[in-house]
Amino acid sequence: MAIELKKPTRRQLLVAGGVAGGGLLLGFAFAGPSRLTSAARAVATGDERLLTTWIKLSPDNTVTIYVPHSDMGQGIHTALPMMAAEEMEADWQLVRMEQAPAARAFANDGLARGYLAGDIAIPSALLGVTDFSMLKIAEFMNLQLTGGSTAVRFTGHYGMRVAGAAAKEMLTRAAARRWGVPQAEVVAELSHVHHRASGRSASFGELAAEAAELSPPRAPKLKARADYRIVGTAPARFDIPAKVDGSAQYGIDARVPGMLYAAILHAPVFGGRLESVDAAPALARRGVRQVVELPHAVAVVADSYWRAKQALAALEPRFSDAGLGAVTSETIFVEQEKILAAEKGDKDVETGDAPRALAAATRVLEATYRVPYLAHACMEPMNCTARVENGKAEIWTGTQDGLGTAARVAKLAGLGLDDVTVHPLYMGGGFGRRGTGSLDYVDEAVLIAMQVGAPVKLVWSREDDIRQDKYRPAIVSTFRAALDDKGLPVAWDNRYIGRNEPAEAAHIPYAVPHQSIRVVDRTFHVPFGPWRSVAHTQHTFFTESFTDELAHEAGQDPFAYRRALLQHQPRHLAVLERAAEMAGWGRPLPAGRARGIAIQQSFGSIAAEVAEISIDAEGRVRVHRVTAAVDCGEVIHPDTARQQVESAIIYGLTAALYGEIAIEGGAVAQSNFTDYEMLTLAETPAIEVHFIESGAALGGLGEPGTPPIAAAVANAVFALTDTRIRQLPLKNHKLSPAAGQFAQAAD
């Protein structure tokens, strides 16, 4: 679920905040109906009342939390309501959850606040301006994004907690007015408000109408962690029952009256165009209604997907290769290495004087690393059902950005945003593939439906899904480091291709006085998009593998080496030590096994992982056990938190062992799970996850478990085989056990 938000430009901020046109000074007077009124019209009926944008109260005392994020298994449809209910003092048994509509009234200003302002203290005099500006920015950007591990740490902290606390203050204020008592004497507890002195009580539902007449407080007081009753527990998740009984509706399950089905074939070489196609062989087949030509693809529309797919196979379209038919993965890597050797690049980190320190050093280590393109390989292939009729558009799909999808469809179809309805359904995997910049399958469904004049469900085949993805980039990264007489690094020089988000992914936490980290921005014809943990997954493999190389060059234990370099980083040090301790680092292993370790901070969380591996008779790596320690500041739902780290490790382990999208003749060579392998259940190691609740600012959990695993496994491979892995995946290396210096991982 890896998407990084791009910060708006200065002009976007000015326009969204109203500064350029005076809107900020005029405030809500020219904003039309208030946001709360618009939101209430969308979701509240009868005597239901919306107290804040995200919280609705019903007369029967039910609390409904509207979540402006998509849940693709990460549990945020439960975690975010927990955070709101905690601050509200709601009875969890009375709490319900709904996904927020894809409408501007539900634009996620909490996400905007977290991303743009973070923990910056806002003076009370500016709270109104800040809140209004964040809302306008969220509306202007159509912000309802799910990705970047932002849901809990941004929406939860800056949105849900504040909304819950505000609702509680409104309810206690309404009760105080009703009873004619000081608000300070009124307390909220388990969806009721009490005045202990007089013995009076009322339910939230009974007070809803009166509370809804009050203005939400600007800066409601949040609870102390010691007073939590809900956060930190593990209630049953809202999404699980429907997934167990089969009633959960995924994008591919959508059914619309009069719906047709489309199968599509794309230009194999990215950038290629459809030159010609004879539609007759498809049109002659039973059930086929139309052949639709797009600039880069051809689609067959029929009364069933099977008939559409079979008819598509009968076509022989001609596609251009955009002059890229000779490009291969190797030519891309060679070009990247030449670029790095020839260009200085742009500054990422410059501290001290690394060039001088390297020139003066007598002990310098150099290494070059590569990682290939990777596909998302979601279990549910890309699909979208679209109806565009009579000046309206309706979309049924799995998307990581409901409002962003609506805005994209509106622009494509030439409609107003209010004329587009998006039904966000469950996703069988996302990981960034179903984010705002990767909605090509939605575009295609809309264009096809517009030509056909009927509702159309477009379903990509697995081959389309693998060969037409938005890939994690293939990149090269080069390193040089100078060691002092104790074997510790005094200079660190790193050059890499492509500044992909987040910007800090290549930064190291270690105490190295002279650092020069530079990037050469260069793009290639293979489309790329956010992939779970984005740039962290590549750079952690690079930096943590190279750090391991330095430790071995110095003749030191890899854990002890890192420990010495992290004395100024207490959070990192605590996480590293916990992972090593729980993994039994330093204790003997059975013959033929070794351990490797790696650490990385990403998305506000710090994760360290220890992998225990062996090599089988065919030279393949078998990972037996992974021990992870994670400091995410605070754990909201312990079970889901653990599952997220486990999932991230499995996702990263699949990539480390098998993941490779190879380019041959300008196109993707792989086609399905037969040649783009996944980790199987039988291969999945035992995974232990240990959390450190440091009290630091909330960090993400959907992604931080992915970055360290590739380096941890590769470092264990070196300890066991004396073979240094500098290019993934591991399946491409022929390995055999060797009695390396650290084969027992510091026994």
Side-chain angles (χ1 to χ4, degrees):
M1 60 198 152
I3 293 180
E4 283 296 302
L5 295 175
K6 292 184 182 294
K7 288 193 176 183
T9 64
R10 180 177 181 272
R11 172 171 173 76
Q12 287 174 328
L13 286 170
L14 290 173
V15 173
V19 176
L24 184 61
L25 297 177
L26 296 173
F28 288 94
F30 282 82
S34 75
R35 179 193 190 191
L36 195 58
T37 300
S38 298
R41 287 173 181 167
V43 299
T45 60
D47 292 331
E48 296 175 333
R49 294 290 185 272
L50 223 61
L51 295 194
T52 71
T53 308
W54 313 123
I55 299 176
K56 182 177 75 176
L57 276 175
S58 301
D60 65 358
N61 215 21
T62 299
V63 178
T64 302
I65 311 295
Y66 287 91
V67 177
H69 285 285
S70 303
D71 195 314
M72 45 191 157
Q74 74 275 44
I76 55 175
H77 277 183
T78 303
L80 293 180
M82 287 173 66
M83 299 172 81
E86 181 69 75
E87 297 292 345
M88 191 179 180
E89 298 292 359
D91 182 343
W92 182 251
Q93 300 305 313
L94 300 175
V95 175
R96 304 292 180 264
M97 183 283 308
E98 296 286 346
Q99 184 163 341
R104 276 200 172 136
F106 291 89
N108 193 346
D109 52 319
L111 183 57
R113 166 68 187 271
Y115 185 70
L116 295 173
D119 289 327
I120 297 173
I122 307 296
S124 58
L126 297 179
L127 283 174
V129 171
T130 301
D131 291 345
F132 180 71
S133 297
M134 292 303 171
L135 173 58
K136 293 293 108 180
I137 289 168
E139 290 177 347
F140 183 77
M141 296 178 68
N142 300 303
L143 193 57
Q144 233 182 33
L145 184 66
T146 303
S149 290
T150 55
V152 166
R153 62 184 176 132
F154 290 169
T155 306
H157 185 66
Y158 299 105
M160 291 296 163
R161 279 180 169 165
V162 173
K168 179 179 68 176
E169 287 197 24
M170 295 164 71
L171 288 161
T172 56
R173 199 188 325 160
R177 286 187 178 186
R178 175 188 285 192
W179 298 328
V181 300
Q183 186 179 359
E185 296 180 6
V186 178
V187 296
E189 185 178 50
L190 293 174
S191 291
H192 286 76
V193 177
H194 307 282
H195 183 244
R196 307 292 191 197
S198 64
R200 284 175 288 190
S201 296
S203 71
F204 284 180
E206 293 170 334
L207 293 164
E210 295 162 71
E213 297 298 320
L214 304 174
S215 297
R218 292 288 185 196
K221 183 179 179 181
L222 301 182
K223 292 174 68 173
R225 294 180 65 191
D227 297 328
Y228 286 171
R229 295 182 301 102
I230 299 173
V231 169
T233 67
R237 279 170 43 172
F238 287 119
D239 60 318
I240 297 301
K243 291 177 178 177
V244 172
D245 66 23
S247 62
Q249 293 293 297
Y250 289 80
I252 208 164
D253 295 324
R255 297 288 187 274
V256 178
M259 182 179 76
L260 300 174
Y261 297 80
I264 194 166
L265 181 66
H266 300 86
V269 178
F270 304 110
R273 289 291 181 263
L274 177 65
E275 294 185 331
S276 65
V277 62
D278 179 4
L283 293 173
R285 289 179 170 258
R286 182 182 177 190
V288 173
R289 302 296 178 83
Q290 192 168 333
V291 173
V292 176
E293 296 183 24
L294 300 176
H296 63 292
V298 59
V300 173
V301 180
D303 57 8
S304 77
Y305 177 68
W306 176 253
R307 288 174 176 171
K309 189 171 186 295
Q310 292 301 302
L312 182 67
L315 298 180
E316 296 182 355
R318 291 181 60 243
F319 294 100
S320 70
D321 67 4
L324 299 165
V327 176
T328 68
S329 291
E330 187 59 27
T331 64
I332 290 173
F333 281 135
V334 168
E335 184 178 352
Q336 289 190 11
E337 291 185 10
K338 289 180 178 177
I339 291 169
L340 290 176
E343 299 186 26
K344 184 178 181 181
D346 299 323
K347 182 179 75 172
D348 189 345
V349 174
E350 291 287 349
T351 60
D353 191 340
R356 178 176 294 181
L358 283 161
T362 59
R363 200 174 181 187
V364 176
L365 191 67
E366 299 185 6
T368 297
Y369 288 84
R370 296 176 173 184
V371 291
Y373 292 105
L374 291 181
H376 293 83
C378 302
M379 289 301 294
E380 177 194 17
M382 299 302 104
N383 64 87
C384 177
T385 300
R387 177 165 57 199
V388 186
E389 298 173 345
N390 303 318
K392 303 284 185 181
E394 202 164 358
I395 304 296
W396 294 261
T397 192
T399 173
Q400 292 176 238
D401 189 355
L403 182 54
T405 300
R408 186 180 181 116
V409 171
K411 183 177 181 180
L412 187 64
L415 301 173
L417 185 61
D418 292 340
D419 295 321
V420 178
T421 301
V422 172
H423 303 278
L425 304 177
Y426 278 117
M427 291 173 276
F431 317 114
R433 181 59 180 97
R434 288 179 160 99
T436 311
S438 302
L439 296 174
D440 45 355
Y441 60 98
V442 174
D443 296 346
E444 292 172 350
V446 170
L447 292 171
I448 294 169
M450 290 172 67
Q451 288 200 40
V452 173
V456 174
K457 175 190 282 189
L458 171 67
V459 179
W460 283 22
S461 68
R462 178 60 63 191
E463 289 74 17
D464 286 317
D465 198 49
I466 297 296
R467 290 174 170 166
Q468 299 293 326
D469 203 347
K470 306 293 186 183
Y471 303 92
R472 187 195 78 168
I475 65 171
V476 172
S477 188
T478 64
F479 293 85
R480 291 187 302 154
L483 304 183
D484 63 16
D485 55 2
K486 296 180 180 178
L488 296 177
V490 293
W492 176 284
D493 180 275
N494 176 209
R495 301 288 185 273
Y496 64 90
I497 294 288
R499 191 193 300 276
N500 298 315
E501 295 182 310
E504 72 276 7
H507 302 179
I508 58 173
Y510 302 117
V512 181
H514 304 284
Q515 297 183 33
S516 176
I517 304 174
R518 303 186 73 86
V519 56
V520 179
D521 276 324
R522 196 62 51 89
T523 58
F524 297 83
H525 84 292
V526 181
F528 69 90
W531 190 92
R532 192 171 188 170
S533 80
V534 272
H536 282 290
T537 181
Q538 301 147 312
H539 288 289
T540 306
F541 169 65
F542 301 150
T543 59
E544 282 299 280
S545 295
F546 190 60
T547 299
D548 223 65
E549 291 205 46
L550 300 184
H552 288 286
E553 174 68 19
Q556 298 182 29
D557 168 65
F559 162 61
Y561 194 79
R562 288 173 171 81
R563 192 174 183 277
L565 294 172
L566 289 173
Q567 293 302 312
H568 68 302
Q569 297 274 25
R571 285 185 68 201
H572 288 76
L573 186 59
V575 171
L576 183 78
E577 291 178 338
R578 176 70 66 85
E581 175 189 2
M582 302 311 297
W585 191 277
R587 294 200 297 268
L589 285 167
R593 292 196 184 188
R595 300 185 184 99
I597 194 168
I599 187 171
Q600 177 74 331
Q601 179 171 357
S602 61
F603 309 99
S605 296
I606 303 169
E609 293 167 9
V610 176
E612 180 182 321
I613 68 130
S614 66
I615 307 295
D616 67 17
E618 285 74 39
R620 296 175 301 190
V621 176
R622 175 66 188 271
V623 183
H624 299 277
R625 180 187 179 202
V626 176
T627 306
V630 180
D631 178 355
C632 57
E634 177 183 346
V635 175
I636 305 301
H637 190 297
D639 287 354
T640 298
R642 186 174 299 106
Q643 291 157 8
Q644 280 300 284
V645 178
E646 292 169 347
S647 167
I649 288 170
I650 292 170
Y651 200 75
L653 192 54
T654 292
L657 295 176
Y658 304 121
E660 180 181 31
I661 288 294
I663 304 301
E664 297 177 3
V668 170
Q670 287 72 26
S671 63
N672 210 311
F673 291 143
T674 53
D675 52 9
Y676 192 74
E677 300 172 71
M678 300 287 108
L679 191 74
T680 65
L681 183 61
E683 297 171 296
T684 302
I687 301 175
E688 301 172 18
V689 181
H690 305 271
F691 289 103
I692 297 175
E693 296 203 49
S694 63
L698 277 168
L701 275 178
E703 297 171 275
T706 298
I709 189 61
V713 172
N715 293 339
V717 167
F718 179 81
L720 187 62
T721 68
D722 284 337
T723 298
R724 178 58 66 183
I725 304 298
R726 293 184 178 136
Q727 182 170 348
L728 294 176
L730 284 156
K731 72 174 184 178
N732 291 341
H733 299 268
K734 299 301 181 184
L735 302 168
S736 60
Q741 182 179 359
F742 296 99
Q744 292 300 307
D747 58 3

